[in-house]
Amino acid sequence: MLGKRFMKMNWSDSLKIALLEENTQKAYELIINTPTHFKDMEELLTAQELISQTIEMLEKDKEDLKKQMLQVKMAKKFLE
């Protein structure tokens, strides 16, 4: 009985969790391994939205990293 409650998560559920946890590495890995077939249009549209949200998260992370790199450069220049 307990085993039925803990079924293996599907791709979209795993991506939703990665997004909620803001786990960019896991989300990226899931995007790279996007399924090639979806059972219906609704599932395809859900995948499209999740991929869009993942791209937004990755772009935000990229901007944050850029800011951090600039701060490191400024600190390094100040210490020289």
Side-chain angles (χ1 to χ4, degrees):
M1 188 75 158
L2 199 62
K4 290 181 181 181
R5 296 175 85 195
F6 294 102
M7 296 186 338
K8 186 177 178 184
M9 276 189 286
N10 64 25
W11 176 86
S12 63
D13 289 342
S14 296
L15 186 52
K16 287 174 189 176
I17 291 170
L19 285 166
L20 287 171
E21 293 176 343
E22 295 184 2
N23 184 340
T24 53
Q25 182 63 38
K26 181 68 176 173
Y28 176 76
E29 289 171 9
L30 287 162
I31 295 299
I32 295 300
N33 297 305
T34 301
T36 55
H37 293 19
F38 295 94
K39 68 179 178 182
D40 56 24
M41 184 60 83
E42 184 178 341
E43 192 175 79
L44 180 63
L45 292 172
T46 299
Q48 181 182 12
E49 178 59 31
L50 290 171
I51 290 169
S52 176
Q53 290 177 23
T54 301
I55 290 169
E56 287 177 23
M57 182 177 69
L58 291 169
E59 287 174 346
K60 181 185 175 295
D61 251 23
K62 180 182 171 184
E63 287 302 314
D64 291 346
L65 188 56
K66 266 177 131 174
K67 288 176 186 175
Q68 290 174 5
M69 292 294 290
L70 182 59
Q71 289 175 342
V72 168
K73 274 186 176 180
M74 290 171 52
K76 185 178 176 185
K77 188 174 182 178
F78 176 76
L79 293 173
E80 290 178 343

